[in-house]
Amino acid sequence: MSNLSSNPFQLQLDYEFLSPSAIHLSSEQTIQAVDLSNQISNVSRKWQTYMNSLALFAFEEWLQERADTLTIRREKCTVLQPALANAIPVVANLQVGEFKVCLISTGSLYDSEIALSQLVVDLPEYVPHFYVLVEVLEEQASVVISGFISYQELIEKRIRANLQPEVDWTYQLPLDWFDCDANNLLLNLCCLEPTSITLPAISDHHAQISSTMQSNLIALLPQLQSPQCELWEILTWEQAIAVFTNPELLHWIYNCQQQTPNSGLKTNLKDLFKLCTQPALNVGRWLWDELDELAQEFSWKLLPSFTPAVAMRSPTEEFQTIINQLQHRGLKIPAQARGAYQDLLLAGIPLRLYAMTWHLLSENDPHLWTLLLVLGTTSQNTLPSHLKLRVSDQTSVLLEQGINQEQGDGYLFTRVVGNWDEKFLVSVSLIDGIEINLPPFTFYPGRVL
């Protein structure tokens, strides 16, 4: 144990704790931190989320008291997103003015080193301009801003010291690497130009997960489903890069840890990889009588404007008949809805998939859209009894629908609703595993000129 009287950093911490600069935590902040931590199942990560939340609230208060001209934006902050808080042990992606800040919360600073997640050092998506050390004295309901270091300084010191990450994806940083004068942090945030600290560029190729990587992650599914699993114990660092740079995968892991394990998770994970890695066709363009390049590549054909009273020739005539049937069943389709169709061949069976979309008007959420799907054949034959239509989003398999033999269905119908940031993957399959996956459907209604 180090001699306290010979440790200037520790003396500074004691001074800060005894001085009025320590931030007092309110009961409301504590309750809010408990609420955020209750969204995490793992006990140790629940506690870390609680500590991170307190660090965030105190840091915001500390800044407002000392530099109220700085704008704090917490929208993308990891601790406020359960799927990210469940996997990232620090407060990353906090925006202060034009700077990105990462908060490292700790309960005590009696050791000479502090653990820092490799995720916020080596993955550009989470790298900040400044790492801020925040001592959370939970029993005393107080917090002290204990020190900081810039990304540039951290990398320079790491190279000089030849510091390597531990097996648990952490760097053990000496405390004396940090500037213990929090006033210098304020000075940097207020006066420094963000361009003076160069951050690593975020690659646009992370979504390209190899088939081998996908197979390996699917094989690890039983372990990933456990709320008690630590990702560093299961994934290689290369696999971790694939997961942490695709937020949908992190959300999937979080969601499956909150659910009772089921047989559909493997199918959902396969669909999720396709949603993450495949380009999506924009059905929002259909509202402007336009097909994007991907829709043209896959031979989608636009249907004429939706006009219920006008007779049309096949295949639009067929679709008109289908829409009339759906309207008689109570489905309301606005005049501005637009559709398209694509002919498919599945194991020698000629199929036709119709898709129709429109913008849903809602007072609660103005960014809703719907996708209506109708699957039939291009001939007069009925659909095979073992045919299935599956629709997935980034979180789960939404539905898997088959033919009702008693009703003698000639078509499969389904309709899904999502936000503008949601995508849907549509798959058509036979019982023996033969399957067609269409490019994901997404919706951006803005016109491309």
Side-chain angles (χ1 to χ4, degrees), residues 13-204:
L13 296 182
D14 291 341
Y15 170 77
E16 290 288 348
F17 173 66
L18 294 173
S19 76
S21 62
I23 303 104
H24 178 73
L25 295 168
S26 67
S27 57
E28 291 79 8
Q29 290 171 327
T30 301
I31 292 171
Q32 190 176 355
V34 170
D35 289 341
L36 289 171
S37 67
N38 281 339
Q39 300 177 81
I40 310 299
S41 299
N42 180 282
V43 175
S44 63
R45 294 197 295 271
K46 181 191 291 285
W47 176 254
Q48 187 63 59
T49 301
Y50 173 71
M51 297 286 281
N52 287 344
S53 302
L54 294 177
L56 171 63
F57 302 150
F59 183 72
E60 288 178 324
E61 185 175 325
W62 181 79
L63 278 179
Q64 290 169 355
E65 290 177 355
R66 292 160 175 78
D68 58 3
T69 58
L70 287 173
T71 302
I72 305 170
R73 296 194 296 275
R74 52 154 71 176
E75 298 83 27
K76 298 181 180 179
C77 190
T78 54
V79 75
L80 301 181
Q81 303 175 62
L84 300 182
N86 184 54
I88 300 175
V90 294
V91 183
N93 291 348
L94 176 64
Q95 194 78 23
V96 179
E98 298 300 318
F99 294 96
K100 290 175 63 177
V101 172
C102 174
L103 306 180
I104 311 166
S105 67
T106 180
S108 65
L109 288 172
Y110 292 114
D111 295 328
S112 59
E113 294 181 332
I114 187 73
L116 177 60
S117 172
Q118 184 181 0
L119 299 168
V120 295
V121 177
D122 294 339
L123 294 187
E125 286 79 357
Y126 305 104
V127 168
H129 293 88
F130 296 105
Y131 302 89
V132 181
L133 201 53
V134 182
E135 187 177 10
V136 180
L137 308 168
E138 194 263 341
E139 292 185 0
Q140 292 90 348
S142 295
V143 171
V144 177
I145 310 303
S146 302
F148 76 99
I149 186 173
S150 71
Y151 169 74
Q152 181 177 317
E153 291 172 324
L154 174 62
I155 296 304
E156 291 173 354
K157 291 178 181 293
R158 186 190 69 174
I159 293 173
R160 285 199 298 267
N162 193 27
L163 190 64
Q164 301 298 317
E166 305 290 330
V167 294
D168 62 351
W169 301 344
T170 63
Y171 287 102
Q172 296 296 320
L173 305 184
L175 280 181
D176 59 13
W177 282 13
F178 290 81
D179 184 340
C180 60
D181 188 347
N183 290 324
N184 290 335
L185 173 62
L186 288 175
L187 188 63
N188 284 324
L189 291 174
C190 293
C191 303
L192 199 66
E193 289 294 331
T195 53
S196 63
I197 301 175
T198 303
L199 299 185
I202 297 176
S203 171
D204 56 0

Side-chain angles (χ1 to χ4, degrees), residues 318-339:
E318 176 192 28
F319 189 58
Q320 187 64 64
T321 301
I322 295 170
I323 291 302
N324 289 339
Q325 293 176 3
L326 291 175
Q327 287 186 310
H328 285 309
R329 296 182 187 182
L331 177 62
K332 296 181 179 179
I333 302 177
Q336 65 268 26
R338 293 306 310 273

Side-chain angles (χ1 to χ4, degrees), residues 419-434:
N419 294 312
W420 288 6
D421 59 352
E422 290 184 87
K423 296 182 288 188
F424 299 110
L425 183 76
V426 177
S427 305
V428 183
S429 64
L430 297 172
I431 198 169
D432 53 6
I434 300 175

Side-chain angles (χ1 to χ4, degrees), residues 335-407:
Q336 65 268 26
R338 293 306 310 273
Y341 71 93
Q342 181 184 12
D343 290 335
L344 309 170
L345 191 65
L346 179 63
I349 303 170
L351 302 172
R352 177 168 290 154
L353 179 67
Y354 292 100
M356 178 170 273
T357 188
W358 60 92
H359 180 200
L360 288 177
L361 299 178
S362 169
E363 293 182 358
N364 297 327
D365 190 344
H367 300 126
L368 290 179
W369 67 290
T370 188
L371 181 68
L372 171 66
L373 300 165
V374 180
L375 180 65
T377 65
T378 58
S379 63
Q380 299 300 317
N381 298 328
T382 59
L383 290 172
S385 59
H386 47 297
L387 189 72
K388 287 188 176 181
L389 177 66
R390 185 176 74 249
V391 182
S392 303
D393 66 3
Q394 291 99 317
T395 61
S396 64
V397 175
L398 299 178
L399 61 93
E400 191 166 33
Q401 184 178 354
I403 296 296
N404 188 324
Q405 290 297 312
E406 295 181 358
Q407 296 180 358

Side-chain angles (χ1 to χ4, degrees), residues 251-315:
H251 280 85
W252 182 90
I253 291 173
Y254 170 78
N255 287 330
C256 78
Q257 289 180 356
Q258 311 304 311
Q259 304 170 4
T260 302
N262 62 77
S263 58
L265 284 174
K266 180 177 288 188
T267 298
N268 176 228
L269 185 55
K270 292 179 180 178
D271 287 351
L272 178 59
F273 278 121
K274 296 181 179 72
L275 284 165
C276 291
T277 60
Q278 292 183 358
L281 60 87
N282 179 14
V283 298
R285 296 273 295 275
W286 297 358
L287 303 183
W288 298 96
D289 291 328
E290 297 172 349
L291 290 173
D292 63 13
E293 292 182 2
L294 190 62
Q296 296 177 45
E297 178 184 341
F298 282 84
S299 303
W300 281 88
K301 300 176 180 64
L302 272 176
L303 292 164
S305 298
F306 180 59
T307 52
V310 178
M312 300 179 236
R313 293 181 296 177
S314 183

Side-chain angles (χ1 to χ4, degrees), residues 229-250:
C229 80
E230 296 295 342
L231 295 184
W232 63 266
E233 296 177 318
I234 299 172
L235 304 178
T236 65
W237 179 245
E238 289 71 24
Q239 291 168 341
I241 293 174
V243 170
F244 281 88
T245 56
N246 284 276
E248 292 91 347
L249 290 176
L250 281 179

